[in-house]
Amino acid sequence: MAATTATSLTLSKPSSLPFNHTHAFPKTPSTLPTLLRSAVKPLFLVSSKNPLSDVISLPAAEDSAWDDEKPREECGVVGIYGDPEASRLCYLALHALQHRGQEGAGIVTVHNDVLQSITGVGLVSDVFNESKLDQLPGSLAIGHVRYSTAGQSMLKNVQPFVAGYRFGSVGVAHNGNLVNYRALRSDLEDSGSIFNTTSDTEVVLHLIATSKHRPFILRIVDACEKLKGAYSLVFVTEDKLVAVRDPFGFRPLVMGRRSNGAVVFASETCALDLIEATYEREVFPGEVLVVDKNGVQSLCLMSHPQPKQCIFEHIYFALPNSVVFGRSVYESRRRFGEILATESPVDCDVVIAVPDSGVVAALGYAAKAGVPFQQGLIRSHYVGRTFIEPSQKIRDFGVKLKLSPVRAVLEGKRVVVVDDSIVRGTTSSKIVRLLKEAGAKEVHMRIASPPIIGSCYYGVDTPSTEELISNRMSVEEIRNFIGSDSLAFLPFDSLQKLLGSESPNFCYACFSGNYPVEPTELKVKKVGDFVDDGLNGSLDSIGGGWVQANRKQIEIGS
């Protein structure tokens, strides 16, 4: 990545965080410890499991992948400082975060002041093996698992990214989505920057390289002050691990510590559990945490407004055994089910779930309703995203590959089926049909979230607003479309009541259409890759990667 000359930028004076257990950096830059070496070091070594031409083939047909109906989290990040087996621990932590991204994985370690990187397309276990991890020695590492939307997932877009500039080298892994990516990239290109990927994360590296501030930590602060949207970032330099969370705290990022003193950052606490790191706290919204030989230091990135944490982490993205935003995901989902049973009861014989994300809510529903919970749908975990359909068309082929109904549970029964959400409605209609064909007398759908009426711009892959069935139809019209005997969603006001005093700290844009950070650009980058992943032509010519922003949003955000 070429470093370019840019106009000097004014850095607002960092303020101390209001937390007793953190220590703010001195406000005078000259008193800060030296964070960057003046001499240019060997930059970085990059290895990959796959050639650049390797791609992930995504199914083209609507029926071909059941999971495509669900909103998808873009990725998960890990950072480890101070453990001699950092790369192996990073590998294990990424396994725990595999649900956050299945199409690419990467690890960067530091050894003898050189950043070494291995990335690949596929699952963590596809990308890494014993010999690969042997190539990543060192006690400092960051890692990333990635999900991309439809199109081609090219290896060059798999993180962490590593770049060299005149003061050394830096690696970064990012969870989130920048709503001002296009404007930032355009400004940087006008100044001479050359981009190698179509990822908004690369913008962060360019902003760091072109910053006039010293030392390196203030370059990060300077860069992040220009970003709008969602970002939980982990950086690595020759001797430091840095974690940053955006001022609204859209995406989760937690800190833990192993018994040997090693500091760990991860998107979810389930990653800490696997590598036996004790959860200490969240990275606060608007905070920069720096870990080096001097310990852990905290710097306030910028003034942080009311937090707007993604409520869908508790509805769908996070694993049930995680603690996200200080709340147990399992307990949240169980309470969602209890609320549905209380506010939308129905006479039934059995409660089942759409696995896996609907299971805990279904358990809550069944316990509250006093009706047995049973496994009426069995999910296959061995079906990939690419498969061959027989020449003779099989109805609901994609759903049948993933879900198998249990006739002994369903036949002649009045069935309540609990799912986490309805997006387009096509998969829900197929599930209802599947259950009735297996002998269910009645099928009552209960959805453990409010209706989704708005697209997300903060790191969640959701369809355009026009494709969201709840934005086009009433609940009764949706019930008729999917063919269920009844349908009920988790009431929005009941969700907020459950969260209590913490309710204002969550983002509900997908349910309300009210965006904490309004997209101000005419087009907003869709999460993941552009369909055309090449470098030819202007951004306008890259098809499929941008979704039209709502005109009302543009006016509000202008």
Side-chain angles (χ1 to χ4, degrees):
M1 181 180 70
T4 60
T5 302
T7 304
S8 181
L9 302 165
T10 302
L11 177 65
S12 61
K13 184 178 290 185
S15 57
S16 300
L17 281 170
F19 306 109
N20 294 330
H21 55 284
T22 60
H23 303 283
F25 278 104
K27 294 181 179 181
T28 305
S30 61
T31 65
L32 284 163
T34 302
L35 303 176
L36 297 171
R37 301 176 186 270
S38 58
V40 176
K41 291 188 165 291
L43 297 179
F44 48 87
L45 303 176
V46 179
S47 175
S48 63
K49 178 181 182 297
N50 316 66
L52 282 175
S53 58
D54 280 4
V55 299
I56 289 289
S57 299
L58 298 183
E62 182 184 276
D63 284 346
S64 56
W66 171 57
D67 278 336
D68 283 352
E69 173 76 7
K70 296 294 183 183
R72 298 294 293 272
E73 235 291 339
E74 186 181 8
C75 54
V77 299
V78 177
I80 298 172
Y81 181 95
D83 197 292
E85 292 195 286
S87 64
R88 280 170 167 73
L89 293 173
C90 199
Y91 165 80
L92 293 172
L94 291 178
H95 264 293
L97 298 176
Q98 187 75 86
H99 59 287
R100 300 183 77 89
Q102 298 89 49
E103 295 183 3
I107 295 174
V108 173
T109 61
V110 181
H111 183 58
N112 293 332
D113 292 339
V114 177
L115 274 62
Q116 302 171 104
S117 172
I118 293 179
T119 60
V121 173
L123 301 176
V124 175
S125 57
D126 296 329
V127 176
F128 296 101
N129 53 34
E130 190 72 25
S131 64
K132 290 286 184 183
L133 293 173
D134 285 341
Q135 299 172 36
L136 295 172
S139 61
L140 176 54
I142 61 173
H144 190 268
V145 287
R146 180 172 190 277
Y147 165 72
S148 66
T149 58
Q152 295 181 334
S153 179
M154 299 294 288
L155 179 59
K156 66 185 178 184
N157 278 322
V158 177
Q159 298 180 35
F161 292 155
V162 182
Y165 68 117
R166 64 184 179 274
F167 293 105
S169 52
V170 58
V172 62
H174 172 211
N175 177 23
N177 197 48
L178 306 179
V179 301
N180 64 334
Y181 160 73
R182 196 181 190 207
L184 290 173
R185 175 167 172 158
S186 178
D187 289 345
L188 286 162
E189 287 178 327
D190 288 344
S191 300
S193 293
I194 298 173
F195 284 78
N196 187 51
T197 75
T198 53
S199 169
D200 54 356
T201 309
E202 192 179 1
V203 162
V204 182
L205 291 176
H206 282 269
L207 290 173
I208 291 172
T210 58
S211 173
K212 298 294 186 182
H213 288 276
R214 306 287 186 275
F216 176 75
I217 298 305
L218 292 186
R219 285 175 172 267
I220 289 181
V221 173
D222 185 32
C224 289
E225 285 189 328
K226 297 175 177 61
L227 306 179
K228 293 181 180 179
Y231 52 91
S232 287
L233 299 157
V234 287
F235 296 91
V236 66
T237 67
E238 291 92 339
D239 63 347
K240 287 177 173 55
L241 175 64
V242 182
V244 184
R245 197 160 167 226
D246 70 76
F248 286 94
F250 286 110
R251 308 255 61 84
L253 190 62
V254 297
M255 182 178 76
R257 200 180 300 261
R258 284 175 46 81
S259 58
N260 62 359
V263 176
V264 181
F265 296 106
S267 292
E268 289 184 38
T269 59
C270 62
L272 304 182
D273 295 339
L274 180 59
I275 62 173
E276 298 181 338
T278 302
Y279 168 74
E280 289 196 353
R281 67 174 178 88
E282 290 186 288
V283 176
F284 301 116
E287 184 181 22
V288 179
L289 277 171
V290 184
V291 188
D292 59 15
K293 64 182 181 181
N294 298 315
V296 180
Q297 295 177 295
S298 175
L299 181 71
C300 186
L301 173 63
M302 60 189 80
S303 61
H304 32 281
Q306 181 85 50
K308 292 298 176 184
Q309 303 157 151
C310 176
I311 188 60
F312 240 89
E313 292 286 348
H314 279 268
I315 291 169
Y316 179 68
F317 299 137
L319 288 184
N321 58 313
S322 284
V323 175
V324 176
F325 308 136
R327 301 177 67 93
S328 165
V329 175
Y330 187 98
E331 285 303 304
S332 292
R333 293 179 187 171
R334 182 182 62 81
R335 290 288 289 119
F336 296 160
E338 290 178 351
I339 292 171
L340 283 169
T342 301
E343 302 199 17
S344 303
V346 65
D347 290 333
C348 63
D349 303 305
V350 65
V351 177
I352 69 170
V354 177
D356 294 314
S357 55
V359 170
V360 179
L363 288 169
Y365 188 104
K368 193 70 172 179
V371 177
F373 168 83
Q374 296 195 46
Q375 281 190 282
L377 288 168
I378 307 299
R379 181 177 181 181
S380 171
H381 293 272
Y382 306 102
V383 178
R385 290 175 62 84
T386 304
F387 42 76
I388 300 170
E389 187 171 355
S391 56
Q392 184 176 355
K393 182 71 173 177
I394 295 177
R395 187 170 67 172
D396 304 334
F397 177 69
V399 171
K400 286 180 178 178
L401 274 175
K402 291 278 188 178
L403 297 177
S404 302
V406 182
R407 186 172 289 272
V409 172
L410 303 169
E411 195 163 25
K413 304 286 182 61
R414 298 168 299 173
V415 179
V416 166
V417 55
V418 181
D419 201 357
D420 60 271
S421 59
I422 293 181
V423 183
R424 294 185 180 92
T426 53
T427 295
S428 297
S429 67
K430 293 166 188 174
I431 289 172
V432 170
R433 187 158 59 233
L434 204 63
L435 296 174
K436 290 195 171 183
E437 288 174 353
K441 181 180 178 181
E442 298 174 8
V443 176
H444 302 274
M445 287 287 291
R446 294 295 180 267
I447 308 302
S449 69
I452 300 174
I453 64 168
S455 296
C456 179
Y457 300 117
Y458 311 127
V460 179
D461 177 21
T462 49
S464 64
T465 302
E466 292 73 21
E467 296 177 82
L468 298 171
I469 193 169
S470 293
N471 191 53
R472 298 183 287 108
M473 297 184 185
S474 66
V475 174
E476 175 58 24
E477 288 171 331
I478 297 171
R479 184 208 64 77
N480 185 61
F481 176 83
I482 66 177
S484 61
D485 292 277
S486 72
L487 169 67
F489 291 86
L490 181 70
F492 187 23
D493 57 350
S494 298
L495 170 62
Q496 292 181 303
K497 184 179 179 180
L498 169 63
L499 296 172
S501 61
E502 295 178 24
S503 178
N505 295 341
F506 284 87
C507 175
Y508 309 105
C510 53
F511 306 139
S512 66
N514 298 321
Y515 293 90
V517 180
E518 296 287 352
T520 56
E521 298 173 354
L522 181 61
K523 292 184 177 182
V524 178
K525 177 179 171 290
K526 191 173 182 180
V527 180
D529 290 334
F530 300 114
V531 171
D532 177 356
D533 203 22
L535 296 175
N536 297 324
S538 67
L539 256 59
D540 288 328
S541 69
I542 300 177
W546 300 86
V547 292
Q548 194 78 19
N550 184 290
R551 287 285 177 182
K552 181 180 178 182
Q553 296 164 11
I554 297 169
E555 292 168 2
I556 294 174
S558 298

